Amino acid sequence: MPLLEPNPDALRPTAARPPSHDRVPDGRAQGTPEPLRGELTALLGAHKVLWKISDLVKYASDASPYRFVPQVVVVPEDIDDISAILSYAHGKGRNVVFRAAGTSLNGQAQGEDILVDVRRNWAGIEVLDDGTRARIRPGTTVVRANAALARYGRLLGPDPASAIACTIGGVVANNASGMTAGTTRNSYRTVSSLTCVLPSGTVVDTGDPAADEDLARAEPRLCEGLLALKAEIEADAALTARIRAKYEIKNTNGYRLDAFLDGSTPVEILRGLMVGSEGTFGFISEVVFDTLPLDRRISTGLLFFPSLTAAAAAVPLFNEAGAIAVEVMDGNTLRASVSVQGVPADWAGLPKETAALLVEFRAPDDEGQEAYERAAAEVVRRLDLVRPVTSVTNEFTRDARTISGYWKARKAFVTAVGGSRPSGTTLITEDFAVPPSRLADACEALLALQAEHGFDAAVAGHAAHGNLHFLLAFDAARPADVDRYAAFMADFCRLTVERFDGSLKAEHATGRNIAPFLELEWGPRATELMWRTKQVIDPDGILAPRIVLDRDPKAHLRGLKTIPKVEPVADPCIECGFCEPTCPSHDLTTSPRQRIVLRREMMRQPGGSPVETGLLDAYGYDAVDTCAGDSTCKLACPVGIDTGAMMKDFRHQRHSRREERIAALAAKHFRAAETAARLAVAAAGRIDDRLLQGVTRLARRAVNPDLVPEWLPEIPGAASRKLPRTSRAGASAVYYPACVNRIFGNPDGYQGPSLPQAVVAVSARAGKPVWIPDDVHGTCCATIWHSKGYNAGNAVMANRIVEAAWGWTAGGKLPLVVDASSCTLGIAHEVVPYLTEDNRKLHRELTVVDSLVWAADELLPGLTVLRRTGSAVLHPTCSMEHLDDVDRLRTVAEACAHEAVIPDDAACCGFAGDRGMLHEELTASATAKEGAEVRPREYDAYLSANRMCEIGMDRATGRSYHSALMELEWATRPGPGSGSGSGSGSGSGSG
């Protein structure tokens, strides 16, 4: 055992709590039972079978109010694996559920037997026919697909609010639509073809001209059954008319029976049925979409009304004017969205009765935009709008930032409102549609029904299409609350069907939530046809049982999850999964959502239970150690939950008093530590990399792999002991070279000036000279201690750097320019909670400026670019995302290169200071997609603005990254500029 091995019991919950009725039973503590585990391991390989109790629990929850613990989780890599899993399930009489992003809201991504993760190894997009079509794999997020299509002026039709996280497989399997899709731009209408694996293992590519012939040979009974059902439906004129009528409004409840009317062959019918089948008919391994034009002339208005019914009454007017989106938000939604960054704070004071419409027009050109704006203005003149708070303008705008803020508030409906619910309550998201002409009546009836059952629900939705969403919060641990919810659902479903002839699920799909009410909406004849369709395609019923079809009238009440209280920072989490794509560790160990899910299960358990112990044993590495602590989860979370901060606090809890004292001592004597580190790096440059790796690996095993870093070949040589000479007189700013840039030198092969030399030179060249204080050595941004949870050491250094910076800048009169983005973030924001009250006052007087902002805003206007390299690929760091200065990286790069590219898969590298040296596997996983995107092309320059992230990207790509400011110095240097800049070690011929 390592000398300083953390004690997992330090994270054991100490609060007294009764065991929850839905806790994982003790008998599940050993994880996947035999022979299931052994048989699947032999079939697929050990690395594709997740079997520990922590694996099962972290996959048991999704964005829905349900929780089902699978027996095993498998992670297939290709169609052969999928076929093998299905064959195994057939042979053993087991069930299979496919799960991608886990953002579905009705439990359709949860299973009680074999759960198949079809996100991790299933991402990718191929743009076809100059962007008019795209072949997309099911694990690709909508945002990622649209980023690739945007270069061609195209986008996908479906645009769900969860686009940042939801994947194409789930979008198609649920026929999710979103803000603008309606009934004409959804998956059913825009999927050209798809490839699926049927329950039997047969693979069908519906775009293959020979598909029908091949399917008839492989699955004759299936083909006969589909054609027989088609003939039966078409022979019933009343049923045919009813089916057509049901899809005149948005409807994802049950199977797409109109597929039998729209398709003329078994393959065409199957293509239609797979859309919206929720994984009950097969696995969709690839989809070819017909894309839509990306109209870039946008005008958007946020208009406020005295009531929800008044807002609903205005919707047809904007539809007639040509709006592509008309979104409604009620008072509860508007007030809750103040938790979203950028939303005006005075919305918190909006009257409860207030409602708003978010109206958007999109045009391909200026003429079209102006015509839409005239039409919108005419509608607005006819409305009685209100301005209950000062931030309300009731005007249309073209400003992209303002528009983005409006949509951010709207898209955060589920998460922001859910995050503001009472702690410990379960969130239900309902979704229904009525004919748009009856929207105002439906709003009035819904509000009355909610009041009758004691719910103060929030309402929002796609008003243009008669599609409303509302949220209910209740305590699933209290039977009386569950009964109240059940009574409401029964009345709500009857109201929607009997009074409005509406859809009980407009775009969220049936799932488990509405399955008991399927027959209420569709009637016995159509419902029985759905059961028979399932029997034709999946005769053994191995796929997703009790999803879509369930004869149990109380099925929607089974598996409702309790939400036990955990750490306050995580309590608002509704397990939506928006955080997962941004998390560096989500493909390695756990995501932020899963870290919270695991913690909640610990709180459901009685203290000391075998399940709690099993979860704790895994939590140290899976959750705490492999968290990069970059807090990008906070940026993605609509309510700003910072799971990274929670993990840093857990690291602190695991420290002994002795460890805290040693860390504080290191902070107090950091000048000596800095010098020792630089000398060690210099000495290491004379020793073989393999020997250094071997020595550090031995030390890691002996001491603690989370304390002793491993030597990496990409680590550069030592920096110069002396910093450039500068003068305080006449300085425009104080320049603070980060400690990493005082310890590590230039990338191997780079012959130009060091980063400090480059910053000094280019600042002087722009007429903005900088001054480096003589006493910067021994100071640091405190991130070293902050990231590891050493609070005492963090406090020492945080206060030291603020006091020093206040003195250097003459009490804040000069800006402090910092040359590493993470250090800028540290000094500007992260040190604040650890400052004394006096030093907080000093900190408020400081202006901390990232070097990219300094270069883009202050230097570039005074510089003459003399040479540019051909192409540059950029790595925006997570700190740049927090600082909101990624655009400055692009600005500087575009000044230095004819082409500047940010990879579509750019994300946090996970190096996180030295964490990439403590857990090399974290950076390898975090950078896998970005590295794969960068490597095939040879760029002339590889640019970022953080030394440790550059090392991480060197390792990921095999290329050599350097600071964009070094490139800027080369691009503006008088003279021929040879032998430097991008020309050294990065393949440029321009140097």
Side-chain angles (χ1 to χ4, degrees):
M1 177 181 289
L3 182 63
L4 297 175
E5 180 76 9
N7 177 11
D9 276 345
L11 302 183
R12 192 180 294 275
T14 56
R17 74 272 184 194
S20 175
H21 74 272
D22 65 338
R23 69 187 182 277
V24 177
D26 291 351
R28 300 291 305 275
Q30 298 305 310
T32 301
E34 296 292 359
L36 178 61
R37 174 185 164 192
E39 289 172 349
L40 285 174
T41 299
L43 180 69
L44 302 172
H47 67 291
K48 299 177 187 177
V49 179
L50 306 181
W51 59 271
K52 294 185 300 182
I53 185 58
S54 59
D55 296 324
L56 307 184
V57 168
K58 73 187 183 186
Y59 275 93
S61 293
D62 62 6
S64 78
Y66 300 100
R67 193 173 78 105
F68 293 98
V69 182
Q71 291 290 321
V72 67
V73 178
V74 291
V75 189
E77 294 179 349
D78 51 35
I79 283 182
D80 288 344
D81 285 345
I82 296 287
S83 295
I85 293 164
L86 294 175
S87 177
Y88 175 83
H90 268 293
K92 299 292 183 177
R94 307 201 73 108
N95 302 131
V96 174
V97 169
F98 299 110
R99 172 181 173 135
T103 56
S104 55
L105 297 166
N106 295 314
Q108 54 265 54
Q110 296 181 353
E112 300 172 75
D113 196 1
I114 300 174
L115 188 68
V116 185
D117 181 336
V118 292
R119 179 198 58 80
R120 187 176 301 187
N121 299 314
W122 295 87
I125 175 172
E126 179 187 3
V127 178
L128 307 170
D129 303 333
D130 201 30
T132 58
R133 295 190 308 142
R135 178 177 287 111
I136 313 176
R137 303 188 78 206
T140 310
T141 64
V142 173
V143 160
R144 174 65 177 84
N146 278 335
L149 288 168
R151 298 191 185 95
Y152 300 85
R154 310 291 292 185
L155 81 169
L156 297 177
D159 63 338
S162 57
I164 187 177
C166 69
T167 57
I168 293 299
V171 167
V172 175
N174 292 300
N175 196 24
S177 48
M179 316 292 175
T180 65
T183 58
T184 60
R185 296 161 61 106
N186 60 20
S187 294
Y188 187 80
R189 299 300 178 193
T190 60
V191 167
S192 172
S193 66
L194 54 81
T195 300
C196 59
V197 185
L198 298 177
S200 61
T202 298
V203 179
V204 182
D205 176 0
T206 68
D208 185 342
D212 271 300
E213 181 182 340
D214 292 342
L215 185 62
R217 185 165 48 251
E219 303 273 357
R221 292 181 62 185
L222 181 142
C223 293
E224 292 168 5
L226 292 179
L227 291 175
L229 286 168
K230 174 181 173 62
E232 184 178 337
I233 292 170
E234 289 180 332
D236 188 332
L239 177 62
T240 297
R242 179 61 178 158
I243 291 170
R244 290 298 189 195
K246 287 296 291 177
Y247 293 111
E248 288 178 1
I249 62 174
K250 293 175 69 172
N251 193 332
T252 59
N253 192 17
Y255 296 130
R256 289 287 309 210
L257 291 181
D258 56 344
F260 289 104
L261 304 176
D262 297 333
S264 59
T265 71
V267 166
E268 290 177 0
I269 295 169
L270 189 62
R271 186 216 68 87
L273 286 171
M274 290 299 297
V275 177
S277 62
E278 304 178 48
T280 62
F281 288 163
F283 167 61
I284 300 172
S285 64
E286 186 177 270
V287 183
V288 176
F289 274 95
D290 292 324
T291 65
L292 301 171
L294 176 58
D295 294 333
R296 299 181 187 272
R297 303 294 193 274
I298 301 174
S299 301
T300 307
L302 187 62
L303 312 175
F304 285 73
F305 295 80
S307 68
L308 185 60
T309 51
V315 171
L317 303 178
F318 287 110
N319 283 345
E320 293 168 9
I324 191 171
V326 185
E327 298 290 304
V328 66
M329 294 178 278
D330 77 339
N332 283 345
T333 301
L334 293 165
R335 290 197 305 275
S337 65
V338 297
S339 62
V340 178
Q341 186 175 5
V343 171
D346 62 4
W347 284 17
L350 286 168
K352 180 180 177 180
E353 298 77 17
T354 304
L357 290 181
L358 175 57
V359 183
E360 184 160 291
F361 295 86
R362 299 179 192 169
D365 51 37
D366 291 340
E367 183 180 355
Q369 184 176 34
E370 290 166 3
Y372 277 140
E373 287 175 343
R374 287 193 297 271
E378 180 58 33
V379 172
V380 169
R381 274 193 291 271
R382 298 157 58 188
L383 301 175
D384 292 323
L385 302 178
V386 297
R387 294 187 61 185
V389 294
T390 56
S391 67
V392 171
T393 65
N394 287 329
E395 295 176 351
F396 279 81
T397 180
R398 297 182 180 185
D399 181 69
R401 186 176 288 270
T402 302
I403 293 171
S404 175
Y406 289 162
W407 279 110
K408 193 173 182 182
R410 167 59 188 93
K411 291 182 178 182
F413 165 63
V414 173
T415 43
V417 177
S420 65
R421 75 197 188 284
S423 182
T425 57
T426 297
L427 188 72
I428 298 280
T429 306
E430 295 300 345
D431 157 54
F432 72 108
V434 299
S437 62
R438 304 201 62 191
L439 183 65
D441 290 343
C443 288
E444 189 173 356
L446 175 63
L447 293 175
L449 189 65
Q450 290 170 349
E452 179 184 336
H453 289 274
F455 286 110
D456 185 19
V459 179
H462 317 308
H465 310 293
N467 178 194
L468 290 179
H469 306 314
F470 62 93
L471 305 177
L472 305 174
F474 66 94
D475 188 346
R478 297 177 55 197
D481 248 18
V482 174
D483 290 344
R484 181 166 63 105
Y485 164 66
F488 171 85
M489 281 301 294
D491 288 348
F492 161 70
C493 290
R494 282 193 296 271
L495 173 74
T496 302
V497 172
E498 295 170 2
R499 180 169 168 182
F500 295 102
D501 193 20
S503 308
L504 291 175
K505 283 297 172 187
E507 62 177 2
H508 293 170
T510 311
R512 300 173 183 274
N513 179 241
I514 293 295
F517 304 99
L518 182 65
E519 186 170 327
L520 173 66
E521 176 178 339
W522 277 96
R525 174 93 167 94
T527 304
E528 197 58 34
L529 283 167
M530 293 181 190
W531 279 93
R532 288 167 58 194
T533 302
K534 170 71 168 174
Q535 178 66 26
V536 166
I537 299 175
D538 183 19
D540 295 326
I542 69 164
L543 289 183
R546 308 195 71 169
I547 293 171
V548 182
L549 302 175
D550 196 328
R551 299 194 192 276
D552 178 0
K554 295 185 177 180
H556 60 305
L557 307 178
R558 192 176 73 94
L560 289 170
K561 66 185 172 189
T562 60
I563 304 291
K565 294 181 181 180
V566 287
E567 283 65 26
V569 67
D571 263 342
C573 177
I574 63 165
E575 302 174 8
C576 68
F578 282 27
C579 56
E580 292 192 337
T582 70
C583 177
S585 63
H586 78 292
D587 278 340
L588 176 68
T589 49
T590 54
S591 68
R593 168 169 63 176
Q594 291 172 334
R595 289 176 168 94
I596 295 171
V597 162
L598 290 166
R599 194 66 176 166
R600 283 175 171 167
E601 182 56 37
M602 293 181 204
M603 298 304 294
R604 291 187 186 98
Q605 295 290 323
S609 77
V611 170
E612 181 195 59
T613 299
L615 296 178
L616 282 169
D617 287 345
Y619 202 77
Y621 174 78
D622 286 354
V624 181
D625 294 346
T626 52
C627 174
D630 65 321
S631 295
T632 52
C633 50
K634 178 181 179 181
L635 298 178
C637 176
V639 292
I641 296 172
D642 190 347
T643 313
M646 187 168 84
M647 294 303 107
K648 291 171 192 173
D649 186 58
F650 284 163
R651 289 170 189 166
H652 172 67
Q653 292 179 34
R654 295 191 308 179
H655 297 155
S656 66
R657 292 182 180 178
R658 178 169 171 264
E659 288 173 306
E660 284 285 330
R661 285 197 301 270
I662 293 171
L665 192 64
K668 291 175 183 176
H669 300 283
F670 186 64
R671 185 183 183 98
E674 178 187 333
T675 301
R678 188 176 60 252
L679 292 174
V681 171
R686 298 187 288 272
I687 303 174
D688 182 75
D689 284 333
R690 287 175 296 181
L691 177 60
L692 284 169
Q693 281 184 305
V695 170
T696 54
R697 284 173 182 170
L698 285 172
R700 285 162 57 78
R701 284 197 292 268
V703 182
N704 182 347
D706 209 48
L707 287 178
V708 180
E710 179 175 334
W711 180 263
L712 302 177
E714 291 77 13
I715 294 175
S720 169
R721 184 173 61 87
K722 294 184 178 180
L723 292 166
R725 288 188 176 183
T726 56
S727 173
R728 184 169 191 168
S732 297
V734 176
Y735 169 33
Y736 181 69
C739 65
V740 291
N741 296 320
R742 305 193 305 260
I743 294 171
F744 297 110
N746 286 352
D748 289 344
Y750 190 96
Q751 300 303 315
S754 67
L755 177 57
Q757 290 170 335
V759 173
V760 169
V762 76
S763 297
R765 198 173 295 153
K768 301 275 188 176
V770 294
W771 170 60
I772 303 175
D774 295 334
D775 57 345
V776 295
H777 294 288
T779 62
C780 171
C781 66
T783 300
I784 296 172
W785 293 269
H786 180 242
S787 66
K788 293 180 173 62
Y790 287 111
N791 290 0
N794 192 4
V796 168
M797 189 56 72
N799 285 280
R800 180 187 298 173
I801 186 61
V802 168
E803 291 168 2
W806 192 83
W808 296 333
T809 61
K813 290 184 174 64
L814 292 176
L816 182 74
V817 176
V818 185
D819 64 4
S821 56
S822 61
C823 302
T824 309
L825 180 66
I827 298 173
H829 300 287
E830 293 177 342
V831 299
V832 174
Y834 301 91
L835 299 176
T836 64
E837 191 55 43
D838 286 344
N839 283 340
R840 289 190 187 193
K841 295 176 182 177
L842 301 185
H843 186 271
R844 284 194 286 269
E845 298 180 24
L846 297 177
T847 302
V848 184
V849 180
D850 189 56
S851 59
L852 289 171
V853 177
W854 176 248
D857 295 358
E858 301 296 331
L859 303 186
L860 268 177
L863 292 170
T864 300
V865 174
L866 301 174
R867 62 193 66 81
R868 298 170 79 194
T869 194
S871 60
V873 66
L874 317 181
H875 174 68
T877 69
C878 54
S879 298
M880 294 178 200
E881 298 285 355
H882 283 285
L883 294 165
D884 195 24
D885 63 9
V886 173
D887 60 329
R888 302 327 204 288
L889 174 63
R890 186 186 286 278
T891 296
V892 173
E894 287 175 343
C896 303
H898 292 286
E899 180 191 15
V901 176
I902 295 179
D904 291 335
D905 284 316
C908 174
C909 67
F911 210 87
D914 65 351
R915 194 143 295 267
M917 300 165 68
L918 298 171
H919 295 286
E920 179 187 348
E921 68 278 14
L922 175 60
T923 293
S925 179
T927 58
K929 291 178 182 177
E930 185 177 356
E933 189 177 349
V934 170
R935 283 192 299 271
R937 177 179 172 185
E938 195 74 27
Y939 292 91
D940 297 311
Y942 298 80
L943 305 179
S944 190
N946 193 294
R947 195 70 199 94
M948 302 313 289
C949 299
E950 291 158 14
I951 293 171
M953 290 309 301
D954 291 353
R955 190 159 181 80
T957 64
R959 308 296 196 269
S960 183
Y961 281 73
H962 58 271
S963 171
L965 274 82
M966 297 164 79
E967 193 74 12
L968 182 63
E969 189 282 326
W970 168 80
T972 60
R973 186 189 311 158
S978 60
S980 64
S982 63
S984 299
S986 61
S988 171
S990 62

